[in-house]
Amino acid sequence: MFEQSKEQHPVRPKTARRLQAGDCIVVDKDELRKAQVGAGVGNFIEWYDIGVYGYLAVTMTSVFTEGMDERMGLLVTLLGFAVSFIVRPLGGMILGPLGDRIGRRKVLFFTMALMAVATTGIGLLPTAGQVGLWVIIPLYLLKMLQGFSTGGEYSGAATYISEFSPDRSRGFMASLLNSGSMLGFAAGASMVAVTTAVTTSAWGDSAMLEGGWRIPFLIALPLGVVAIVMRLRLPESPSFEVAHAKAGSEDIDPIFVRHNLPNIFKHYWPQILIGCCLVAADGTCGYLLTSYMPTYLETQVGSDPVHTAVAAVVVLVLLAVMIPFVARWSDRIGRRPIYAMATIGNLVLLLPAFTLMQMGTLWSLYLALFLVSLPSAFFLALTAAVMSELFPTASRFGSVGVTHNLAISVFGGTTPLVSQILVEVTGNPYAPAFYVMFFSLVALFALLKMRETAARPLLGSVPVVSSREEAIRLVEGQDTNERIDTSTMLLAPEPAAPEAAGVR
């Protein structure tokens, strides 16, 4: 795949300029931990909101579409989930290139503040019973504001952590973002379950409709304040700093140029296409589990909302635990084998899972959700690292923002709405499973064109290592190490003598 990019962007061949220990970036472990927590908290809050909205979908149908046909009202509510994804590509297209220009941390600070304000705003909206159905308009606008911020949030966090992580463990380090996302969703589902239990026991069965639904959304405000304070202390990505410092070199190769949006499409369209196929499979699988299952189980199977929420929390916590283990495995055996397992897993497991759901028992509910979550764990373990590994450092934030947000908006975020429409139109309760299986099949073909990226330096960056000793070993073995290609690294033309070179 990257060979085509090389033809469009010729880079210098390997020359006498060899990699030196001083060229490598040695990661400061304390700063890495600070970066992981600071970046991960945004994804936690993003998925907290998705969890709250997903598990309150039926309740919010009554709140915001009162007087409308119930089935149409549910579609209107799910459309509110989908509209946030309409503007996600816009957020990625604006905030991504901006992050390549001014830095990752500044954009991440902005997206966090915007997300917290929008989520809190939903909790303050009046109901349709108070002001009429026009309240759907501000609901959609706030969801779109969330979508715009999210367009820069995940791509920025994935880029930031991937650039901060040692090459040999980048999959594991970056996967913690999605572990945090699953915990955030579990926290949102848990908050809905706890709020429902407490308010209904204290004020009756109608308590959630009469105002209890606001509580989970308003919790986003203190969470957002904590996240903003944490992000104020984030260091900048070391790979970005090196690339940014050398971006003004006169004879710089095109691969190291910070491209605008049209040139990103022009030069990196093969990577964008492959990335979109992988994210489409990832997104339809993930959002089926996290955002549509509550609605499906309540409306099609008749599951009790509390049982559904509790089962989802258990499965999502298990998913959060599985993700880093799978990612660590991918650092050892490669990304492509793990993706193959994920796609084949969906093709094999989804139909049995939906069959189990139709049984309507508690044990079948847990087992069905586990079967759906297993392939999702394999996808989510790779997303952050692989999206970052597809593109060079100089244009990485913008490229990841475009690729991830286009695919997740068109295919992932619309999964709840499309799945419900498919069930309504076809009358087939297995229709959502077939929808997800189709995109897994597409991803399996795209995988054939993807180059292996595990444990290699990021394109456009020098190697990132965990110690000076690792840097020395890497330099000594560079002639036989197929993962080292200095033509894709921004190296000074005349390095200092080895004994004088300092390790960054």
Side-chain angles (χ1 to χ4, degrees):
M1 176 197 68
F2 186 61
E3 282 67 23
Q4 182 160 4
S5 179
K6 282 185 175 181
E7 292 174 5
Q8 297 168 337
H9 263 314
V11 296
R12 59 177 174 267
K14 291 186 179 181
T15 66
R17 175 58 170 101
R18 294 167 56 78
L19 185 68
Q20 304 291 333
D23 295 319
C24 301
I25 296 174
V26 178
V27 172
D28 184 297
K29 293 181 175 59
D30 290 336
E31 288 196 341
L32 176 58
R33 281 192 290 270
K34 188 187 300 183
Q36 284 178 313
V37 174
V41 70
N43 285 289
F44 178 92
I45 294 177
E46 173 195 344
W47 279 78
Y48 169 87
D49 169 66
I50 291 173
V52 168
Y53 197 90
Y55 277 86
L56 282 177
V58 176
T59 299
M60 294 182 73
T61 297
S62 299
V63 170
F64 290 110
T65 65
E66 183 179 346
M68 187 181 293
D69 176 75
E70 185 176 344
R71 292 169 64 183
M72 179 59 67
L74 180 58
L75 290 177
V76 168
T77 303
L78 293 178
L79 181 60
F81 181 81
V83 296
S84 67
F85 287 84
I86 294 175
V87 295
R88 273 189 72 157
L90 180 63
M93 291 175 185
I94 294 176
L95 298 175
L98 184 64
D100 285 327
R101 182 171 296 278
I102 68 174
R104 293 27 172 152
R105 63 183 295 274
K106 293 178 182 177
V107 171
L108 288 175
F109 173 81
F110 172 76
T111 57
M112 188 69 266
L114 194 61
M115 192 183 304
V117 169
T119 304
T120 304
I122 292 176
L124 297 175
L125 286 175
T127 67
Q130 294 171 325
V131 298
L133 291 175
W134 76 267
V135 73
I136 295 170
I137 296 174
L139 172 65
Y140 283 6
L141 289 175
L142 286 170
K143 292 299 292 180
M144 292 172 73
L145 198 62
Q146 286 179 332
F148 182 84
S149 65
T150 303
E153 173 61 37
Y154 183 80
S155 53
T159 296
Y160 182 72
I161 292 300
S162 294
E163 292 178 347
F164 232 112
S165 303
D167 298 332
R168 293 176 59 191
S169 57
R170 184 168 52 245
F172 171 76
M173 296 295 183
S175 75
L176 297 178
L177 283 176
N178 280 336
S179 282
S181 298
M182 295 301 99
L183 292 176
F185 190 92
S190 298
M191 183 58 66
V192 170
V194 170
T195 302
T196 301
V198 172
T199 56
T200 53
S201 64
W203 296 293
D205 293 338
S206 63
M208 287 298 288
L209 294 175
E210 293 174 357
W213 65 270
R214 299 181 186 276
I215 296 173
F217 287 106
L218 295 178
I219 294 294
L221 182 59
L223 289 176
V225 171
V226 171
I228 289 170
V229 170
M230 294 175 66
R231 287 196 168 176
L232 285 172
R233 304 173 183 175
L234 287 181
E236 187 52 86
S237 153
S239 294
F240 169 79
E241 288 185 323
V242 172
H244 189 67
K246 297 181 179 180
S249 302
E250 293 182 0
D251 59 347
I252 194 169
D253 288 316
I255 192 175
F256 307 117
V257 173
R258 184 172 54 234
H259 292 296
N260 57 24
L261 193 60
N263 280 335
I264 285 176
F265 280 104
K266 176 182 177 181
H267 297 301
Y268 304 127
W269 66 266
Q271 292 96 316
I272 291 173
L273 185 58
I274 289 173
C276 283
C277 290
L278 296 175
V279 172
D282 172 5
T284 52
C285 177
Y287 283 97
L288 176 79
L289 173 66
T290 58
S291 301
Y292 182 60
M293 277 296 98
T295 300
Y296 181 85
L297 290 170
E298 289 179 39
T299 60
Q300 302 299 317
V301 181
S303 297
D304 181 88
V306 175
H307 287 162
T308 302
V310 172
V313 169
V314 172
V315 170
L316 289 171
V317 170
L318 180 61
L319 186 62
V321 173
M322 286 192 296
I323 285 172
F325 284 100
V326 176
R328 176 74 78 182
W329 194 18
S330 80
D331 284 328
R332 295 174 181 172
I333 70 171
R335 315 292 192 223
R336 299 177 76 229
I338 300 297
Y339 265 134
M341 295 179 201
T343 56
I344 295 172
N346 269 339
L347 295 174
V348 171
L349 297 178
L350 281 184
L351 290 180
F354 271 70
T355 299
L356 286 167
M357 290 178 202
Q358 308 310 312
M359 296 175 65
T361 62
L362 197 57
W363 72 266
S364 64
L365 170 66
Y366 277 86
L367 182 55
L369 290 178
F370 174 74
L371 292 180
V372 175
S373 71
L374 199 56
S376 187
F378 281 66
F379 275 120
L380 291 171
L382 303 183
T383 307
V386 169
M387 289 301 103
S388 299
E389 291 165 349
L390 287 174
F391 305 100
T393 300
S395 302
R396 180 170 296 122
F397 196 159
S399 300
V400 175
V402 167
T403 303
H404 186 265
N405 288 300
L406 275 177
I408 209 71
S409 299
V410 176
F411 305 112
T414 57
T415 295
L417 179 63
V418 173
S419 296
Q420 184 64 23
I421 291 174
L422 288 174
V423 171
E424 296 282 352
V425 171
T426 67
N428 187 342
Y430 293 88
F434 289 117
Y435 181 69
V436 174
M437 290 165 67
F438 168 77
F439 288 103
S440 292
L441 189 61
V442 171
L444 193 59
F445 283 103
L447 191 58
L448 299 176
K449 296 295 184 180
M450 174 185 162
R451 73 184 187 97
E452 183 55 66
T453 56
R456 288 166 168 78
L458 290 169
L459 293 173
S461 293
V462 296
V464 180
V465 296
S466 56
S467 67
R468 179 177 173 80
E469 291 71 28
E470 183 182 345
I472 293 172
R473 290 194 301 270
L474 190 68
V475 168
E476 290 175 347
Q478 64 182 293
D479 292 328
T480 57
N481 189 344
E482 63 177 12
R483 296 172 178 172
I484 300 299
D485 181 1
T486 57
S487 70
T488 66
M489 301 177 190
L490 195 57
L491 303 175
E494 295 181 3
E499 60 274 11
V503 178
R504 291 184 62 86

